[in-house]
Amino acid sequence: MPAKKHRKELTATMITRLKAPAAGRLWVADSVVPGFGVRVTEKGAKTFVLRTRYPGETSASRREIGKVGEIELTVARDKARNWLKLIGEGKDPARVEAEQRRSQVAKDATTVDAVLDAFEKDHVEGLRSGDQVKAAFTNHVRPRIGEKSIYDLKRSDITTMLNEIAAEIAAESRKAKGERDGKVMADRVLAHVRKAFNWQMVQDDDFKSPIVRGMAKTKPKERARKRTLADDEIRDVWAALDQMEQPACYPRYVRSLLLAMTRRNESARMHTDELESDLWIIPGSRYKNKQDHVIPITPALREQIGDKPDGCKGNSWYVFSTTTSGGQLDGAKPFSGFSKAKKELDAIISKIRKAEGRAPMKQWQLHDLRRTGRSLMSRAKVDADHAERCMGHVIGGVRETYDRYEYLDEKRKAFEALASMLDMILNPSADNVVPMRAVAEVAR
């Protein structure tokens, strides 16, 4: 049965009120755009349609523009006008749109976002610093140039991005009354993006990275941190950790960074499978120099490791974890909420110092605890080579064989000296006060 015909200027309200015909289809033509209208089926389905003679056809036919509800009237009407224009030029709208879709798919495959997705999957996943690289892309790169085609990128796009990152970080630091250098963060992001683009160039003959020498905002020596915590700052950190309730593992985790002189993820991913009696063996697969690193567990460090989580069903768990099962900690995943917890810790430190009428604590990072531990070993008269070994640094060049248990006794004494020095700082008395002094020794 042929559709019933009506012709009037369509409105959204009118279309909403259209009822399904008892039989056949209802056709309401628009008086604004020739051939454009709405078709209503017996079941009430409403569709925008353009009736005209398309290129290659001998008679007029109707083609769907879109379903009512999925596309607005104004958009459908504009699309109909565009179709009529293409038809007037002898072009089939279906073929033109298909080509546009193919072009868009090809373009989407070469956006910065697509390249970063592939780079993360192929190169970043599994790296110790993988989370940091992904965060840099998510927070700083994708929002600024993610939708751009890599073939359209210009050096000015990279420069603008870096300037914006530096300004954003600096503004956030000023607001928090900190001293974070936005230029350093911009250069870290630049390094990550450079690696991603170099990776793309290896497999793409047509792509040339827009990153060139001279884009960095700082020099290597300027980026190297030398911050160590003074005695009063160590006491403030420990006092603030005593006040933190959540995450429950965070105080123990932070203290372990100083007592074991480890990097952030090395302690965060400590697992009971790595503990052998009184030794913590960090496997080379997750250590910077790719070699196993053995840390003697002092009583002070043992206290931070703690006991088995109540919700853990086996004998294997992550030491620092916030995951739960049945409302109880189970140690199933390693701790990862660094940023939120660090902000809470800094807020407590600020409160402590303000209450005592002291100036705000200079901006610091968790990695500064590793450097602080090294300086405390120097104050405790630990042999420099043994202190370096405690940090996992290789002494005397690359060896043909590597004995992970070498100098174990010397390392144990060094870590015990560190724990004793820390105890004197945290519990000062007339007999054990150690004068604060700057130590130029910085971890390499």
Side-chain angles (χ1 to χ4, degrees):
M1 183 180 295
K4 297 179 181 179
K5 297 181 180 179
H6 299 275
R7 186 177 180 80
K8 58 184 69 176
E9 182 178 347
L10 293 175
T11 65
T13 301
M14 180 193 305
I15 295 173
T16 301
R17 292 176 178 175
L18 290 176
K19 296 182 180 181
R25 291 171 294 176
L26 173 65
W27 165 247
V28 182
D30 183 30
S31 62
V32 178
V33 178
F36 175 67
V38 174
R39 183 178 61 197
V40 186
T41 67
E42 294 180 37
K43 295 183 178 181
K46 302 174 183 178
T47 308
F48 291 113
V49 176
L50 179 66
R51 184 181 185 281
T52 189
R53 187 166 65 86
Y54 292 88
E57 297 181 355
T58 58
S59 60
S61 61
R62 293 190 179 97
R63 291 189 187 179
E64 293 186 2
I65 289 179
K67 297 184 182 300
V68 175
E70 295 180 1
I71 182 174
E72 295 182 358
L73 171 60
T74 54
V75 176
R77 188 177 273 142
D78 288 342
K79 189 173 182 179
R81 290 192 181 99
N82 185 55
W83 279 17
L84 290 172
K85 180 180 179 182
L86 291 172
I87 292 170
E89 297 171 354
K91 301 176 182 178
D92 189 322
R95 293 183 178 179
V96 172
E97 291 186 352
E99 179 59 33
Q100 290 174 343
R101 285 194 294 271
R102 286 193 292 270
S103 177
Q104 185 62 45
V105 169
K107 182 178 179 181
D108 290 343
T110 59
T111 61
V112 173
D113 276 339
V115 170
L116 295 183
D117 287 340
F119 176 69
E120 288 178 3
K121 184 177 181 180
D122 180 80
H123 184 75
V124 176
E125 291 181 3
L127 293 179
R128 294 186 307 276
S129 60
D131 292 342
Q132 298 176 40
V133 175
K134 291 180 180 180
F137 290 157
T138 299
N139 298 332
H140 303 297
V141 182
R142 295 181 188 272
R144 292 182 170 89
I145 61 173
E147 295 182 357
K148 286 181 174 290
S149 169
I150 58 174
Y151 304 114
D152 295 335
L153 277 178
K154 300 177 181 178
R155 290 193 292 272
S156 59
D157 293 323
I158 304 300
T159 300
T160 298
M161 178 183 72
L162 297 177
N163 289 338
E164 290 178 352
I165 293 172
E168 178 183 292
I169 297 301
E172 291 177 353
S173 181
R174 287 194 298 270
K175 185 177 180 180
K177 296 182 180 180
E179 299 178 7
R180 193 178 182 191
D181 192 340
K183 293 181 180 179
V184 172
M185 174 56 74
D187 284 351
R188 289 175 183 170
V189 173
L190 175 63
H192 297 322
V193 176
R194 179 187 285 112
K195 289 181 180 179
F197 286 176
N198 287 345
W199 173 85
Q200 178 68 17
M201 284 197 297
V202 170
Q203 51 205 344
D204 187 343
D205 294 334
D206 298 324
F207 174 62
K208 183 176 181 180
S209 175
I211 298 177
V212 297
R213 294 184 62 180
M215 284 186 167
K217 301 295 180 182
T218 62
K219 297 179 180 179
K221 290 184 178 180
E222 294 174 346
R223 293 195 293 271
R225 285 182 61 83
K226 299 179 181 180
R227 174 86 158 96
T228 59
L229 273 61
D231 291 5
D232 64 324
E233 293 177 324
I234 294 174
R235 286 191 287 268
D236 288 338
V237 172
W238 254 241
L241 290 172
D242 286 337
Q243 297 182 30
M244 287 193 69
E245 297 181 357
Q246 294 296 333
C249 69
Y250 192 69
R252 296 186 294 111
Y253 161 69
V254 174
R255 292 180 178 119
S256 75
L257 294 174
L258 177 54
L259 289 166
M261 297 199 305
T262 46
R263 300 175 181 86
R264 190 179 76 171
N265 283 339
E266 290 164 5
S267 273
R269 297 174 183 174
M270 180 193 291
H271 197 278
T272 53
D273 291 348
E274 300 172 355
L275 306 180
E276 295 182 8
S277 185
D278 62 347
L279 300 178
W280 173 20
I281 304 174
I282 305 177
S285 59
R286 69 181 196 88
Y287 203 71
K288 187 172 183 178
N289 63 11
K290 306 300 182 182
Q291 297 176 336
D292 293 354
H293 178 49
V294 181
I295 298 177
I297 301 175
T298 62
L301 180 57
R302 174 70 67 183
E303 185 177 349
Q304 309 313 317
I305 293 175
D307 300 320
K308 177 180 178 180
D310 294 334
C312 180
K313 297 180 180 180
N315 293 317
S316 180
W317 66 89
Y318 285 99
V319 172
F320 304 114
S321 174
T322 57
T323 57
T324 60
S325 176
Q328 294 181 317
L329 289 171
D330 60 9
K333 296 180 180 180
F335 172 74
S336 60
F338 304 106
S339 180
K340 184 178 180 180
K342 177 60 162 52
K343 288 181 180 178
E344 175 65 18
L345 177 60
D346 286 340
I348 297 176
I349 293 174
S350 178
K351 185 177 180 180
I352 291 173
R353 296 175 75 97
K354 184 176 181 179
E356 296 178 0
R358 292 185 287 147
M361 183 170 167
K362 181 182 177 182
Q363 191 274 337
W364 68 288
Q365 300 177 1
L366 293 180
H367 192 76
D368 297 336
L369 294 173
R370 173 176 163 86
R371 215 174 286 110
T372 300
R374 176 65 180 85
S375 70
L376 292 182
M377 280 192 176
S378 291
R379 285 171 58 178
K381 307 301 182 182
V382 172
D383 178 83
D385 283 352
H386 296 333
E388 290 296 299
R389 292 186 179 96
C390 287
M391 298 189 77
H393 294 163
V394 177
I395 306 300
V398 179
R399 300 168 59 91
E400 292 183 1
T401 60
Y402 176 72
D403 181 1
R404 64 185 182 181
Y405 297 108
E406 193 173 28
Y407 295 99
L408 188 58
D409 290 340
E410 290 82 358
K411 288 165 66 176
R412 188 186 307 280
K413 292 178 181 178
F415 278 114
E416 289 174 349
L418 167 60
S420 296
M421 179 63 68
L422 179 60
D423 182 61
M424 287 192 291
I425 292 172
L426 296 175
N427 302 287
S429 67
D431 296 328
N432 68 13
V433 169
V434 179
M436 289 186 293
R437 56 184 176 179
V439 180
E441 191 80 43
V442 177
R444 301 186 184 92

